[in-house]
Amino acid sequence: MEEKIGMTKLWALFLVVFVLLQNAQAAADGNKSRGGMRRLAGAPGVPVPMTLLTSAVAMGAVCLDGTPPAYHMDPGSGAGKNRWIIHLQGGSWCESVGSCLYRKASSLGSSNLMNKQIYFGGILSSSPLDNPDFYSWNQVVIRYCDGASFAGEGYDAGSGLFFRGQRIWNAAIQHLLAMGMSSADQVLLTGSSAGALAVVLHCDQFGAVFAGRGTTVKCLADAGFFLDAVNVAGWHTLRYYFGGVVATHGVAQNLPRSCTSHLDATSCFFPQNVIGGINTPIFVLNAAYDTWQIRESLAPDGADPGRAWRACKSSRLACNAFQMNFLQAFRDQMVGTVLGVSRSRRNGFFINSCFTHDQSEYLATWNAYGSPSIQNKAIWKSVGDWYFGRAEVRAIDCAYPCDNTCHHEM
């Protein structure tokens, strides 16, 4: 009996040592090749503290409530010390003084209410296993507290609301340039959701900052390809909503001239009307069945008074044939529009057939076992291949339900 127990202990010890050696070798191989490996999603990394940009207040660059803007920064190391990722936080918009007053009392309108530290994941991870291409870069998250994708300019005396998104953008970028970004040899502007729309609107502005410096500048918009689509009642929910954002925040003056020279300001808040005129290389990462757009643009409660879409919006498996056909038509519009506006071979895209929203910030969808892929290429590899010019990436998935790698949210 004692001999059996001894052998069991030895075998268990052998297994532990074997696993540790395998992990060490995998990490070493990942560091050597920068190819890394995909693994199971686990706990978040080290929390990154918030920094208040108090110097921006003198420039009038403040949140909705007048508090200073903020950012989080994880400094680069080794070869990444001279490379920067700037990530614009998302979080919808406010389209009226009333909704902005409500937003003011949250972390999306006041730096006083923001978490003082956040965890970086996905494309912002500092782990070479999770994020092989960008793990050692300077990684910065600019907090979103203006409600108009960093594009507003105005002040409402009656409510005391500051619509200063463009000033926040300017102040943050100037501050980071002074911190060392001005000498960067590679930079990537990223964002998710409303932050991804901000990437589209500011991509060329970002590129212009580095003109003549020999810096590689590119942009990545994740879950920001908001379509001017018809809802289930036959009208344009998002156009009406975006019209309110543009008017309330005074956005028109800060929109790309390549668009406003021939279209109205609200139209130029839609990425489909802006991307074609962007000169800086840009990558579009989006789910063809974007869940935010399904719930808030295609089938919002106001367009569905009988609540016929309630179950479908909660689970794709509850959608009837008519509803699924409607969603397939939306997917076709998404694919056709992306192809239409991304003709430049310098641009890239990854449009998968998943019911989700935002895929670059989380390990589970960025780079883990079972994370989404198209033709066996995961999101992290697709973005990296495009950024570093290792391969052209213009990936479009077949229609639902063909993709078994999706992480569906509904």
Side-chain angles (χ1 to χ4, degrees):
M1 182 68 176
E2 289 179 359
E3 183 180 14
K4 287 185 178 180
I5 293 174
M7 290 298 294
T8 301
K9 288 181 177 178
L10 284 173
W11 179 242
L13 180 61
F14 170 78
L15 285 177
V16 170
V17 172
F18 177 78
V19 170
L20 289 174
L21 288 173
Q22 287 290 95
N23 286 343
Q25 184 61 48
D29 290 344
N31 285 332
K32 288 177 185 176
S33 66
R34 295 183 62 81
M37 61 180 288
R38 298 168 73 186
R39 68 179 182 84
L40 292 172
V46 177
V48 181
M50 183 177 78
T51 299
L52 286 176
L53 191 51
T54 53
S55 61
V57 176
M59 303 164 55
V62 292
C63 299
L64 284 170
D65 69 339
T67 53
Y71 68 93
H72 301 252
M73 179 174 175
D74 189 8
S77 60
K81 284 186 176 180
N82 213 30
R83 300 167 184 172
W84 295 68
I85 287 182
I86 308 302
H87 183 82
L88 304 180
Q89 184 188 28
S92 194
W93 309 266
C94 56
E95 87 293 357
S96 65
V97 169
S99 65
C100 289
L101 281 171
Y102 182 81
R103 186 184 182 93
K104 170 184 170 181
S106 75
S107 63
L108 291 170
S110 172
S111 59
N112 286 341
L113 302 174
M114 294 176 181
N115 292 333
K116 299 305 182 283
Q117 57 185 27
I118 61 175
Y119 290 92
F120 284 8
I123 195 172
L124 297 170
S125 171
S126 59
S127 164
L129 294 181
D130 299 345
N131 190 25
D133 284 321
F134 304 105
Y135 73 94
S136 65
W137 290 31
N138 295 283
Q139 297 156 345
V140 180
V141 172
I142 301 177
R143 297 297 292 265
Y144 181 36
C145 64
D146 66 277
S149 290
F150 296 89
E153 177 54 58
Y155 173 73
D156 184 73
S159 63
L161 289 169
F162 294 87
F163 303 120
R164 298 288 174 77
Q166 183 66 38
R167 296 195 196 190
I168 292 174
W169 159 265
N170 292 337
I173 296 302
Q174 290 304 314
H175 176 76
L176 295 172
L177 287 170
M179 288 185 63
M181 190 172 70
S182 60
S183 61
D185 51 49
Q186 293 177 323
V187 293
L188 176 62
L189 178 66
T190 78
S192 58
S193 195
L197 173 54
V199 167
V200 173
L201 299 178
H202 293 91
C203 186
D204 272 348
Q205 294 176 28
F206 191 63
V209 168
F210 299 93
R213 300 177 190 246
T215 307
T216 298
V217 185
K218 297 187 179 183
C219 304
L220 165 65
D222 174 19
F225 203 81
F226 299 99
L227 288 177
D228 189 6
V230 176
N231 66 23
V232 297
W235 34 282
H236 292 253
T237 304
L238 204 51
R239 169 164 282 274
Y240 178 80
Y241 183 61
F242 277 0
V245 174
V246 169
T248 300
H249 291 259
V251 168
Q253 60 191 297
N254 295 318
L255 295 171
R257 300 294 181 265
S258 60
C259 181
T260 55
S261 63
H262 62 281
L263 290 176
D264 63 273
T266 298
S267 295
C268 294
F269 206 64
F270 283 95
Q272 67 194 76
N273 298 319
V274 177
I275 288 179
I278 293 176
N279 295 314
T280 308
I282 187 168
F283 191 98
V284 175
L285 168 61
N286 227 96
Y289 307 89
D290 186 286
T291 49
W292 189 93
Q293 294 188 65
I294 290 173
R295 292 169 176 147
E296 304 298 332
S297 176
L298 298 185
D301 290 345
D304 181 36
R307 300 297 186 264
W309 279 80
R310 175 178 289 180
C312 179
K313 288 193 295 182
S314 297
S315 171
R316 67 194 186 284
L317 302 178
C319 298
N320 59 38
F322 170 80
Q323 291 167 334
M324 188 54 68
N325 286 337
F326 189 90
L327 297 179
Q328 295 290 18
F330 175 74
R331 177 258 176 194
D332 292 344
Q333 182 184 358
M334 172 79 71
V335 169
T337 306
V338 168
L339 287 172
V341 302
S342 300
R343 294 188 182 95
S344 172
R345 307 310 291 188
R346 297 182 305 163
N347 294 341
F349 46 79
F350 185 104
I351 310 298
N352 55 359
S353 292
C354 307
F355 285 79
T356 190
H357 182 74
D358 185 1
Q359 301 179 88
S360 68
E361 294 182 276
Y362 308 102
L363 173 59
T365 45
W366 177 248
N367 178 24
Y369 285 120
S371 62
S373 62
I374 298 178
Q375 296 181 348
N376 297 318
K377 184 183 286 191
I379 294 172
W380 78 269
K381 186 70 164 58
S382 299
V383 172
D385 281 355
W386 165 78
Y387 184 89
F388 295 103
R390 298 189 296 241
E392 187 177 83
V393 181
R394 302 170 73 81
I396 293 182
D397 212 352
C398 49
Y400 174 84
C402 73
D403 190 342
N404 61 6
T405 70
C406 285
H407 289 216
H408 297 297
E409 291 180 1
M410 59 173 272

